[in-house]
Amino acid sequence: MMIVVMVLSAVMIGATGVAGILTARQIRQTADAGNFSKVLFAADSGLEWGEYMFYNDKAACDKIDCPSDDNLCLLWPEFNEIGLKVKCSNNIITSSATYKNTSYVFSKKMQ
């Protein structure tokens, strides 16, 4: 009888440990999903801003590097926290955003 109780106790402790590890992973993935949505929005906005600058003021396109005093960084102060960079060279616009351990890059060839 005592052996059965010890075996069942060991099984329950093992199952509880596995459940705790899986729960911790789910919580971590949820936090990363929030960071990913911030980075995705920032990179997309940077690409759109780069397209606007490409057609209106090509020289200023390479100067988008939040945090800075650029209109894009001032319009959305969150981008200063995220870290947005937009580069325009050889008719290719590249927008990259990084926040904590998450980053995303959009690139578009202009004609």
Side-chain angles (χ1 to χ4, degrees):
M1 179 75 170
M2 188 68 161
I3 293 174
V4 172
V5 170
M6 289 179 65
V7 169
L8 286 175
S9 297
V11 168
M12 292 300 288
I13 289 172
T16 303
V18 170
I21 291 170
L22 293 175
T23 302
R25 287 187 65 205
Q26 288 290 331
I27 291 170
R28 200 172 318 125
Q29 287 176 348
T30 302
D32 286 345
N35 294 341
F36 179 74
S37 63
K38 286 181 184 179
V39 168
L40 183 67
F41 172 72
D44 183 49
S45 297
L47 183 65
E48 290 177 11
W49 189 257
E51 289 175 358
Y52 174 80
M53 296 303 282
F54 181 84
Y55 288 116
N56 293 301
D57 188 4
K58 209 178 230 183
C61 189
D62 273 338
K63 297 179 181 161
I64 301 171
D65 188 0
C66 298
S68 73
D69 291 334
D70 186 86
N71 288 338
L72 180 66
C73 304
L74 295 175
L75 190 59
W76 288 292
E78 308 80 56
F79 290 169
N80 292 324
E81 177 185 332
I82 291 172
L84 174 68
K85 294 182 182 3
V86 179
K87 299 291 176 202
C88 306
S89 60
N90 299 330
N91 291 342
I92 297 175
I93 299 172
T94 304
S95 172
S96 63
T98 304
Y99 180 67
K100 294 188 180 177
N101 61 344
T102 307
S103 61
Y104 203 85
V105 177
F106 278 117
S107 186
K108 182 175 183 179
K109 184 170 185 172
M110 303 301 287
Q111 301 196 8

